[in-house]
Amino acid sequence: MDPHLLRTFVTVIRLASFPAAARELGCAKATVARHVAALEREFGLPLLTRRPVVPTVAGARLLEHAVPLLLRLDAARADLARLAAAPAGELVVAAAPLAVGPRLLAALPVTTTRVTLCVRPRDEIPAALADGTAHLGLVDSLSVTGDPLLPPGSALPPGPPHDSAGAAYGFTGTAYDSVGTAYDPVGNAYDFAAPYGFTGIAQPPGAAPLTALPVTEAPLAVHLPAGHPLAHRRGLRLDELTTARWVDAPAAGLPLDQLRAAHGTYGFRPALRYDGTDVHTLTALVAAGRGLALLPDTVPAAPSALAVPLVEPRLVHRVELLHPTEPTTPAAELAALLRT
C-alpha cells in the first residue's frame, strides 16, 4: 500500500473536495483522481462517492486504519531525521574559571559535536578527566615568565614535583606532602609546581598520566577599588601589596598561596573568602572594597574598580590543556586547535 495514495485519500475525505485536496497537496486535480482510483483498483471496492465526496462503507473502514498509519509514518520520519541531525559525538570540557577565554570559545565545535562546558575549581579537573566525566581539561596557574614548560605532548606523571622546583622561588630543601605542597616554618602552604606547568593541582592516586600542553599566557593586573590609594598608579610591584587585604578566591581567582610562593613570604592576608567560581562576583567584591585580587589582564575591572598592571616580579597567567595521553575524536580535534 503506497502511503502517498493513502495520504491523498485521507486529504480528499477531510476536505470533501478533489480540487481542495489538489491545492493542499500541491498537485493537479487529475493526479488526485488517479491516486484515489489506484486505491480502489488495489482493494477492488469503491472507496468514496464523487458527488458529494463522502466515503463508502469500505472507504470509512480504510480511513480508520489510514489515519494512525500515516501518523506513525510521520513519527518514524521525524525520528530518523533527528538521528540524521544528531551531533557526531560528545565533548565535555572541564575548565577553571580563568581558563575560559576567547581562545577556547572560538575553538569549540559548533555543528557536529554536542559540547558541554563545565566551569569547575581547577583542583577538581584532574579527577574529572580520570573518571571520564570530562574529555579535556583547562587549568591555569601563576607562573614566572620564562618558566620551563613540559615539552609539548609529554605526559605529566602523578605525584608531587621534584624538590628543585622550589629553587625558582628561593626555597631549597623543602619537604613536600602527598600532593606536592610545601610548608614553611609557620605553616603557610606554597605551591612550587609552576615550573612543571601544573601548579597546585594533584592527580588522583593511581590515575593514568595526563598530557599537559601550553595554550595561552597573559600579563597580570591588580584589581583595586577606584578609591584605593594605589588605584591610579601606572604599575604595581608585588612587594608593595604584601600587607594589603585580599579577596581569597581559590576557585574563581588565583589562590593567595601562589602569590606567597611567588613573593617568598607569608603575607597577602585575606579580608574575605569567596568559594564560588564566578569571576564577575570576584571583581564585584573588589569594587565593593572587600579586598584586592590579582587576575589576568584579559579580565575587565568591575564598575567603580580599576585594574593596574603588575610590573614586578615578571609573572604571567598561564593556561594549559590537560587530556589523557590518547584523546579520542572530537577531543583530539579541539586539542589540536588549541595547540596551534
Side-chain angles (χ1 to χ4, degrees):
M1 189 185 307
D2 188 335
H4 296 291
L5 303 184
L6 276 182
R7 195 174 301 278
T8 300
F9 171 72
V10 170
T11 305
V12 170
I13 293 179
R14 177 168 53 83
L15 298 176
S17 168
F18 278 71
R23 286 192 297 271
E24 181 171 306
L25 296 171
C27 61
K29 178 183 173 182
T31 303
V32 172
R34 284 198 303 272
H35 285 183
V36 173
L39 275 178
E40 291 178 326
R41 286 194 301 272
E42 181 175 347
F43 292 109
L45 291 168
L47 298 176
L48 52 83
T49 62
R50 269 55 175 177
R51 291 185 182 181
V53 178
V54 293
T56 63
V57 173
R61 185 62 58 85
L62 176 61
L63 186 65
E64 293 176 5
H65 295 285
V67 172
L69 281 173
L70 291 173
L71 288 174
R72 291 293 300 272
L73 283 171
D74 289 341
R77 188 176 289 109
D79 197 24
L80 292 175
R82 282 193 295 271
L83 284 176
E90 184 177 8
L91 174 62
V92 179
V93 180
L98 293 179
V100 178
R103 182 80 175 272
L104 169 64
L105 300 180
L108 289 174
V110 294
T111 54
T112 60
T113 302
R114 182 184 294 110
V115 179
T116 301
L117 176 60
C118 304
V119 178
R120 301 186 176 192
R122 60 180 63 80
D123 56 359
E124 295 181 6
I125 293 173
L129 294 170
D131 64 21
T133 56
H135 303 108
L136 292 177
L138 283 162
V139 295
D140 64 323
S141 64
L142 180 66
S143 299
V144 176
T145 303
D147 270 352
L149 282 167
L150 289 168
S154 59
L156 183 74
H162 299 292
D163 286 347
S164 59
Y169 302 103
F171 288 81
T172 56
T174 308
Y176 288 86
D177 69 4
S178 59
V179 295
T181 305
Y183 291 86
D184 72 359
V186 295
N188 292 280
Y190 299 97
D191 296 316
F192 293 125
Y196 298 89
F198 206 42
T199 302
I201 303 172
Q203 290 183 238
L210 298 174
T211 297
L213 299 164
V215 176
T216 60
E217 285 188 355
L220 293 156
V222 182
H223 287 235
L224 314 95
H228 194 280
L230 301 177
H232 296 283
R233 293 272 296 273
R234 298 182 63 180
L236 289 170
R237 301 189 310 274
L238 202 57
D239 59 13
E240 299 177 283
L241 305 169
T242 56
T243 59
R245 303 302 294 271
W246 294 75
V247 178
D248 185 16
L254 292 164
L256 294 185
D257 288 342
Q258 294 188 19
L259 272 69
R260 297 181 184 118
H263 190 259
T265 182
Y266 49 84
F268 305 98
R269 297 171 298 161
L272 177 146
R273 182 180 174 91
Y274 170 56
D275 280 330
T277 58
D278 183 17
V279 179
H280 294 294
T281 299
L282 172 56
T283 58
L285 287 169
V286 172
R290 304 311 301 266
L292 310 187
L294 185 66
L295 296 167
D297 68 356
T298 53
V299 176
S304 303
L306 294 171
V308 181
L310 183 72
V311 294
E312 188 180 320
R314 296 177 61 83
L315 300 175
V316 292
H317 176 254
R318 176 176 292 165
V319 175
E320 290 179 324
L321 174 71
L322 302 181
H323 62 73
T325 305
E326 295 296 336
T328 58
T329 304
E333 295 174 353
L334 178 58
L337 286 174
L338 291 173
R339 286 200 301 266
T340 58

